[in-house]
Amino acid sequence: MDVLGLRSEPVPKIGLGIVRHYNGLEPGSQFDVLSDIYPTGLSMWLIEAGILHEAAQDGDACWRISITRSGSPGQGTIPGLHHVVAKADGTIFTCERGERVARIDGKSGKVEAVNTVGKKTSHLAVQAEGEHLYISDFLDNALIAVRTDDMTVAHRWPAPGGPQLPIVTKDGIVAVTGPGGGTLTIVRPKEEGAEVQTIEVGSCPHDPEVSADGKIIYVPCAGDGVVAKVDLSNGQELARIPVGDGPTHMARHPDGDRFYVANSFSGDVTCFSEDGEVLARAASGPWAHAISITPNGQKLYVANFYDNTLAIFDPENLDRLAILPTEAYPHGLDISPDGRFVVVTGFSSEYLRIHDAASGVELHRTEVGGGSSHTAFLPDGKTAVVACSVADHLAFVDLETGACSKQVGL
């Protein structure tokens, strides 16, 4: 057995050492890592990278992390196009896990503008009719505002902790978590400039969700097993809601009165009220992570990273209705705005899968290119635009036929 010794090393060196060794192996290869520690930050690092592993303590208190190489390099180490968002007019924005961000005409697929804005950008957020695109730069610890008309940088605000997942409210308040520092950075627009506030929310905060009125943000803190409820107007923490082990991604019920969170370490999903009352909890699958609810509130979907499955729930009581196979490492789980289709990507695959949102039935398995990650939708209601990190392009997919009509790179 191939053994990588990383005892007495801090988390960054352990994580980088694992990823470097992992990426140098052939798919299917196995190796063990010996480490003195296995903290939440390292566990989440490996889950996000799609690095399949199991961890257990040996007799001498050393952690043995057993790892299997999947079909692609670790997610996060590939500099290709990763995230994609759309405005109401069909304009598409995408960014590399690198320096560049781009604006693309959704109808023609023409790349209209490309600009270098950061050191290592990650994810995007945009209002449906907003004037700015918001980008996290986790290497530069910054949140960047880019003008959507000419793609030039309008603002750059400090956001410590390696920010990755920005969110913007209907009133233009922008927030982003810093998992490396346990922080939440809030940017409030003012008549002149903006007010920037960074608060501590807990260990390894991940992907937040806002209340229907845009006044409250709920932040899942994977290391603490809680969701922190924070007032966006002043950064005051209002509650800490125990939800399970390793809460990561969230979804808000269309009625606005309930929230759902996937707990990656315990492999389940929890439903809680706006006030923080836990209403239900149910098993989903190992490494339950990406989560989304249909616009009519009738189906809840959760992607389970470890065993490549898609769980379907009744949102009213969290009865699990079905478990379906996905492509390897279903990194992205997105539902079309009209509520007809569910797109489940496969980062360690050349394919993605499209499901009927009402029934869960798989409609199409479509070849789009390696490293399919995140999906945006055009206003025509039938076109999905998928960022494929490994192939480094956007794939345009007809949701009704499953055909990939074109691939667009920068």
Side-chain angles (χ1 to χ4, degrees):
M1 171 66 72
D2 184 8
V3 177
L4 180 63
L6 293 170
R7 300 193 67 173
S8 302
E9 297 289 359
V11 169
K13 286 191 175 182
I14 297 172
L16 291 172
I18 290 175
V19 169
R20 189 179 299 113
H21 193 76
Y22 180 91
N23 286 353
L25 298 176
E26 293 296 322
S29 301
Q30 296 180 328
F31 66 101
D32 283 357
V33 176
L34 301 182
S35 170
D36 291 326
I37 55 175
Y38 179 64
T40 298
L42 177 58
S43 178
M44 189 56 63
W45 187 337
L46 299 180
I47 289 176
E48 281 290 332
I51 295 179
L52 300 178
H53 69 281
E54 294 181 354
Q57 282 188 296
D58 283 350
D60 63 351
C62 171
W63 283 94
R64 181 176 291 268
I65 308 171
S66 300
I67 295 175
T68 301
R69 172 65 150 83
S70 296
S72 64
Q75 192 274 130
T77 66
I78 305 299
L81 299 177
H82 181 72
H83 200 211
V84 58
V85 294
K87 288 182 66 176
D89 62 2
T91 303
I92 296 294
F93 300 92
T94 187
C95 70
E96 302 170 319
R97 276 194 176 272
E99 300 177 341
R100 297 186 298 172
V101 63
R103 187 183 73 234
I104 296 169
D105 178 79
K107 185 175 182 180
S108 67
K110 179 183 177 181
V111 178
E112 297 180 322
V114 181
N115 193 14
T116 297
V117 301
K119 292 182 178 179
K120 195 167 186 181
T121 57
S122 172
H123 294 78
L124 313 167
V126 69
Q127 293 172 298
E129 298 178 356
E131 297 178 356
H132 291 101
L133 176 72
Y134 302 99
I135 310 160
S136 59
D137 187 337
F138 63 86
L139 190 60
D140 199 35
N141 289 309
L143 179 63
I144 306 166
V146 169
R147 300 178 184 88
T148 57
D149 56 354
D150 61 9
M151 300 305 287
T152 59
V153 174
H155 308 285
R156 188 184 303 268
W157 302 293
Q164 294 196 47
L165 297 159
I167 190 169
V168 57
T169 73
K170 59 185 178 182
D171 295 325
I173 296 176
V174 191
V176 66
T177 56
T183 58
L184 174 71
T185 295
I186 304 169
V187 179
R188 305 179 188 93
K190 301 294 181 182
E191 290 186 5
E192 293 185 6
E195 177 184 68
V196 183
Q197 181 184 21
T198 296
I199 63 171
E200 294 183 1
V201 289
S203 174
C204 203
H206 206 64
D207 190 16
E209 183 59 89
V210 297
S211 57
D213 61 9
K215 298 183 183 302
I216 303 294
I217 190 167
Y218 295 83
V219 185
C221 300
D224 296 334
V226 304
V227 171
K229 179 180 178 181
V230 177
D231 187 331
L232 280 170
S233 69
N234 56 22
Q236 179 183 358
E237 185 177 284
L238 304 175
R240 295 182 72 78
I241 307 163
V243 293
D245 194 6
T248 49
H249 291 266
M250 297 183 59
R252 185 185 71 221
H253 193 280
D255 291 343
D257 59 351
R258 283 160 286 166
F259 294 84
Y260 304 87
V261 59
N263 301 308
S264 294
F265 301 159
S266 51
D268 52 26
V269 58
T270 299
C271 173
F272 63 90
S273 70
E274 282 186 296
D275 295 330
E277 179 187 0
V278 173
L279 304 174
R281 186 174 172 184
S284 179
W287 293 6
H289 207 71
I291 185 170
S292 190
I293 191 169
T294 55
N296 61 11
Q298 294 185 2
K299 291 289 190 302
L300 179 74
Y301 286 84
V302 180
N304 304 312
F305 283 3
Y306 195 91
D307 64 356
N308 304 321
T309 59
L310 180 68
I312 309 176
F313 295 89
D314 180 341
E316 293 301 312
N317 50 25
L318 286 189
D319 282 347
R320 194 172 68 180
L321 306 175
I323 286 284
L324 306 173
T326 69
E327 298 300 314
Y329 185 15
H331 183 81
L333 168 62
D334 296 283
I335 298 176
S336 60
D338 61 10
R340 296 173 59 198
F341 303 101
V342 180
V343 178
V344 189
T345 61
F347 189 88
S348 294
S349 171
E350 298 283 330
Y351 293 80
L352 57 73
R353 302 193 189 200
I354 303 169
H355 296 257
D356 176 80
S359 65
V361 171
E362 183 180 313
L363 302 174
H364 308 290
R365 181 173 183 256
T366 300
E367 186 172 3
V368 292
S372 57
S373 305
H374 294 280
T375 302
F377 300 92
L378 297 186
D380 64 9
K382 68 173 187 175
T383 305
V385 182
V386 184
C388 301
S389 298
V390 177
D392 195 17
H393 63 227
L394 299 182
F396 286 66
V397 178
D398 187 311
L399 293 166
E400 294 178 342
T401 67
C404 181
S405 61
K406 56 178 168 280
Q407 297 172 346
V408 177
L410 302 189

